[in-house]
Amino acid sequence: MTPTAEPAQGNHPATYREVLAEPRFRLLFSTRTVAITADALRITTFSVLVFSATGSALLSALAFGIGFIPRLFGSLLLGSLADRLPPRALITGGYAVTCAAALLLALVRMPIAASLGVVALVALATPVFHGASSRLVAQSLEGDAYVLGRSLNNIAASGAQLFGLALGGAAVAALGPHRALAVSATLYLGCALAVRIRLPRLQPGEFGSTPAGAPGDGGAVRASLHGVGLLLRGHKVRRLMLAQWLPPAFVAGAEGLIVAYAGGHHFAPGWYAVLMGCLPVGMLAGDLLVGRLLRPPTRERLVVPLTALMGLPLLGFAAEPGVGVSSCLLLLCGSGFAYGLGLQRPFLDALPPDGQGQAFGLLGSGNMTLQGIGPVCFGAVAAGIGTGGAIALAGGAAALTTGWILTWHPPTSPAPAPNRSTGPENGTEHQACSSPTQ
C-alpha cells in the first residue's frame, strides 16, 4: 500500500505535520486517543463502583487491574486474527464490544464476580483489534514517519490518560459511577462509528496479511500459538521485544511505590499526585525532544543512554529525598522512556509481513502484563527494605538492562523502507517467522 504522506527517508527526520497528513493514521490516532480517555474513565469509575458496593480495597484494586492480565492470554490464543481478518471490522468491532461492556456495567446491577468477568472477557479480545490498528499504522507510514507516528501516539496516550483520570473524578462526583460509565460507553461508540464510516473496507490480503481461513491452517488458537512461538524463537524479534518490555516493567514497580513513599515520609496531602504526574510529564517532554529534534540514526544510537536515564535517577531514592528532589528524579526517569523511539524501526523491520498484527498485539499485552506484575514484586521487596530502597532497586534493575541492550547494534546507515509486498530485508528472521499459519 502506498502511504498518502511522503515518508522521510535517510537521515532526514519526519515532521508531525507530514505524519498527520496521512488520513488513515489521522483517523486511527484520533479515535485511539479518545478511546484511551474512555479507558481511563471506565477503569477508575469501575474501581470506584466496586469499592462503593463492597468496601473492599482488595476487590477495588482487582477491578482496577482486571483489564490488563487477560490481554496476554488474548495475544497467545487469538493474536493471529489481527492478521487474518479485515481491519475495519476488527477495529470497529473492538470499540463496539467495549462500548457494550461499559453500557452493561452502567445499566445492569450484576454480582461483582460477573462484572469482573465482563471486563476480563473484553480484555481478552483487546490485543486483536489493537494489533490490527497498529499493523495498519505500520502499513500507512514508512521510514521515519512511522517512528514519529509512534511518538505522537505515546504523547497523546500520556495526555489522554491524565485527562481520563481527571474526567473520571469529575464525572463520578457530578453524575455518579453508573452514569460516568455510560459517558465512557458514548466515547467508545463515537470511535466505532468514526472507524466504520471513515476507514476504507480492506480485506486482509490488501494490506499484506494472511486471509482468514487460509487452507491448511489449524484454526485461530492453533495459528496464534504457532505464530507466537515463531516470533519469540526469532533472536532479533525476541530481543527487541524484551528491550521494550523490561525497563518499563521495572519503572512501573517503582511507580507503584510512590504513594507509599509519600505517605511514609509525611509529605503534605496531595503531593503524591504531583509525584505520580512527574513520570508522564517527563515522558511527554522526552518524546517531543527525541522524536522531533533528533535525526533517525541519532535516536537509535541513544537507545542505551536513554535506557540508563530511566533507571539511574531512581537510585537517588536510596537517600530518601524530599519532595523537590524526588520530583526532579521522576521527571528525568520519565524522559528516558524516549529510548523506545530508537527501537521502533529495527523492530518493524524485523517482523514478517504476515505476522505484524500479532506481534504488535503481543508487544502491547506483554507490556501491560509485566507493568502489572512489577508493582507487586517491588511492593513485596519494600516490605523488607523500605520504599526508598525498593524504588532504588527497581531503578538499578532498569539500568542494568542497559548492559544487556548493548549487545543490540543499531544500524550505522539509514535502513531502506521495507518492501511491504515481500516483507523486511531480514534474512533468517523473515524465514523463521513467515508461515502460512500466521
Side-chain angles (χ1 to χ4, degrees), residues 181-274:
L181 282 170
V183 171
S184 72
T186 302
L187 295 176
Y188 289 125
L189 179 60
C191 293
L193 290 175
V195 172
R196 177 63 180 81
I197 294 169
R198 297 180 56 193
L199 186 67
R201 183 177 181 179
L202 300 172
Q203 294 302 321
E206 291 182 67
F207 64 107
S209 48
T210 303
D217 69 40
V221 172
R222 182 177 176 183
S224 298
L225 292 171
H226 183 62
V228 168
L230 289 175
L231 285 169
L232 296 182
R233 282 198 296 271
H235 177 76
K236 188 174 182 181
V237 172
R238 183 177 67 248
R239 185 169 293 274
L240 288 170
M241 276 198 176
L242 288 172
Q244 295 173 84
W245 282 343
L246 294 180
F250 291 131
V251 173
E255 185 181 14
L257 297 172
I258 290 175
V259 172
Y261 182 84
H265 289 74
H266 306 291
F267 292 165
W271 271 107
Y272 76 90
V274 174

Side-chain angles (χ1 to χ4, degrees), residues 199 339 343 373:
L199 186 67
Y339 88 99
L343 297 175
I373 293 173

Side-chain angles (χ1 to χ4, degrees), residues 75-84 210-214 216-231 354-355 358 433 435-438:
S75 287
L76 295 176
L77 300 177
L78 303 173
S80 67
L81 294 177
D83 298 296
R84 293 153 56 92
T210 303
D217 69 40
V221 172
R222 182 177 176 183
S224 298
L225 292 171
H226 183 62
V228 168
L230 289 175
L231 285 169
D354 57 354
Q358 183 170 15
C433 294
S435 165
T437 59
Q438 289 216 71

Side-chain angles (χ1 to χ4, degrees), residues 130-157:
H130 279 188
S133 178
S134 297
R135 178 184 177 86
L136 196 53
V137 168
Q139 297 292 333
S140 302
L141 301 174
E142 294 184 358
D144 193 50
Y146 170 73
V147 178
L148 211 60
R150 296 284 294 192
S151 172
L152 268 176
N153 278 329
N154 293 342
I155 293 168

Side-chain angles (χ1 to χ4, degrees), residues 85-136:
L85 296 177
R88 187 178 71 174
L90 276 179
I91 300 168
T92 302
Y95 288 139
V97 167
T98 314
C99 169
L103 273 180
L104 192 63
L105 295 172
L107 301 177
V108 180
R109 305 300 174 98
M110 295 181 288
I112 297 301
S115 299
L116 294 172
V118 168
V119 176
L121 283 175
V122 172
L124 196 67
T126 297
V128 178
F129 69 89
H130 279 188
S133 178
S134 297
R135 178 184 177 86
L136 196 53

Side-chain angles (χ1 to χ4, degrees), residues 360-383:
F360 287 127
L362 180 62
L363 178 66
S365 60
N367 257 323
M368 297 297 290
T369 301
L370 289 176
Q371 289 183 48
I373 293 173
V376 176
C377 294
F378 285 97
V381 172

